Amino acid sequence: MSWPRLTPPALTDLPIPQPAAGEIRLRIRACGLNFADLLMAKGTYQETPPTPFVMGMEVAGTVDALGEGVTGFSIGQRVAGFAGKGGLAEYGCFPVERCLPLPDAMPFDQAAGFMVAYGTSHVALVHRARLMAGETLLVLGAAGGVGLTAVEIGAKLGAKVVAVARGPEKLKVAEAAGATVLIDSESTDLKAAFKALGGVDVVYDAVGEPAASAALRALRPQGRYVVIGFAGGGVPQFPANILLVKNIDVIGLYWGGYSVFAPNVITRSLTDLIAMYAKGDLHPHVSHALPLERTAEAMELMRTRTSTGKVVVTMDD
């Protein structure tokens, strides 16, 4: 694994942190990894903290202590939290407004990878792209951490979901999540395959180039192209003439930003998602759950894009 800015993650003994006012301390049971963790390790993420810092954006565990003024949570309660960092640890303190009570039936490994992946896709498809039943949704990177949740949520919304992923094994995972059209990005002429679809209404892109250019041209008039990230490494450059002639919307979606300028959007979305999970409508997919001492290995799985769904780091009891 390449670490141009940082050394590989190392285990370090630190004092157990004390929650500040408005925070809860969690005994962390699991931490979900995200592509943003790789960017932080390289120092290229838009919100990389000063070094040294504890990586890990989202966690699940039990409430261990309450900071001053905290209400609505109790010691021992099962909780998921998102704070942007601090999750790869046995204990962590997180702002109460970024924490969510968990259903008793949700395992910690699923809960640790739930908020960012499902939250991103739900806000992207419902709030931003306005995906409707009967429309066609094209998902690039459909077996990845966020892409697989887009497949699942899109199918639940009644869309026809086209999954694009590398290799038959990843496509099987996307098919199980609800995709009805499967396109292998390793062995297929994507431009021809997308053209054969006869047009799509929404593109969900967590990959970027080289698939992005072909996907843009597959959009129908008034289509919506949602930019999620650039796991493939290439940042798309959208030709303005195509956007103009076809009346296409290009929509950016940075889920974490909503916690600053519109936290109610995240709150409402996560409430809907937890209700969907409780009804049995969502089935989080964790392909790898590795112990804390194997964090570097877990991150390598993400860097090489050999995992499907979520990679989770677990802590001993």
Side-chain angles (χ1 to χ4, degrees):
M1 183 172 186
S2 176
W3 299 87
R5 178 184 171 194
L6 306 178
T7 57
L11 290 175
T12 303
D13 287 325
L14 298 172
I16 295 177
Q18 299 301 313
E23 291 184 339
I24 59 175
R25 185 173 70 202
L26 295 186
R27 172 65 173 95
I28 299 172
R29 304 297 184 180
C31 174
L33 296 184
N34 292 275
F35 187 72
D37 290 306
L38 295 180
L39 298 180
M40 282 191 187
K42 295 194 299 182
T44 59
Y45 191 59
Q46 59 262 31
E47 294 183 5
T48 301
T51 57
F53 66 94
V54 178
M55 292 192 297
M57 300 181 70
E58 56 179 336
V59 299
T62 54
V63 177
D64 179 71
L66 303 174
E68 181 182 353
V70 171
T71 60
F73 290 90
S74 58
I75 303 299
Q77 186 174 6
R78 303 173 78 256
V79 169
F82 168 77
K85 62 182 180 68
L88 288 169
E90 294 177 320
Y91 293 88
C93 296
F94 306 96
V96 67
E97 66 271 13
R98 294 194 176 193
C99 295
L100 179 74
L102 292 175
D104 291 339
M106 183 181 282
F108 284 126
D109 62 344
Q110 291 187 5
F114 189 85
M115 293 179 75
V116 173
Y118 278 98
T120 294
S121 292
H122 190 262
V123 172
L125 296 178
V126 176
H127 181 71
R128 297 288 279 148
R130 309 172 305 282
L131 180 67
M132 304 294 291
E135 291 190 313
T136 299
L137 168 66
L138 175 64
V139 181
L140 304 181
V146 292
L148 193 60
T149 63
V151 170
E152 191 174 14
I153 291 171
K156 291 298 179 183
L157 292 173
K160 173 184 176 181
V161 180
V162 180
V164 183
R166 297 191 304 169
E169 294 304 315
K170 289 189 174 185
L171 288 173
K172 286 180 183 178
V173 173
E175 184 177 28
T180 56
V181 180
L182 309 176
I183 297 176
D184 189 337
S185 61
E186 282 189 323
S187 60
T188 306
D189 179 342
L190 292 183
K191 185 176 180 180
F194 295 167
K195 184 177 180 180
L197 295 172
V200 303
D201 300 290
V202 175
V203 173
Y204 180 103
D205 181 9
V207 177
E209 296 294 7
S213 295
L216 177 71
R217 287 163 173 79
L219 279 170
R220 296 185 175 111
Q222 297 194 97
R224 289 89 75 198
Y225 194 110
V226 188
V227 179
I228 303 295
F230 318 109
V235 178
Q237 304 297 313
F238 298 106
N241 61 316
I242 294 178
L243 307 183
L244 184 153
V245 171
K246 296 179 71 174
N247 290 288
I248 289 172
D249 294 340
V250 175
I251 301 168
L253 190 283
Y254 169 42
W255 182 79
Y258 277 92
S259 64
V260 177
F261 65 82
N264 60 304
V265 171
I266 289 182
T267 300
R268 185 168 59 248
S269 172
L270 290 174
T271 298
D272 291 346
L273 287 166
I274 288 294
M276 292 174 69
Y277 179 91
K279 289 169 55 181
D281 288 341
L282 301 177
H283 303 88
H285 176 78
V286 177
S287 67
H288 296 81
L290 301 177
L292 184 60
E293 60 269 21
R294 294 173 64 186
T295 294
E297 181 181 341
M299 295 185 69
E300 180 70 1
L301 288 168
M302 294 182 55
R303 188 191 68 81
T304 57
R305 298 172 64 186
T306 53
S307 59
T308 56
K310 293 294 290 191
V311 175
V312 172
V313 173
T314 60
M315 289 66 176
D316 293 334
D317 292 339

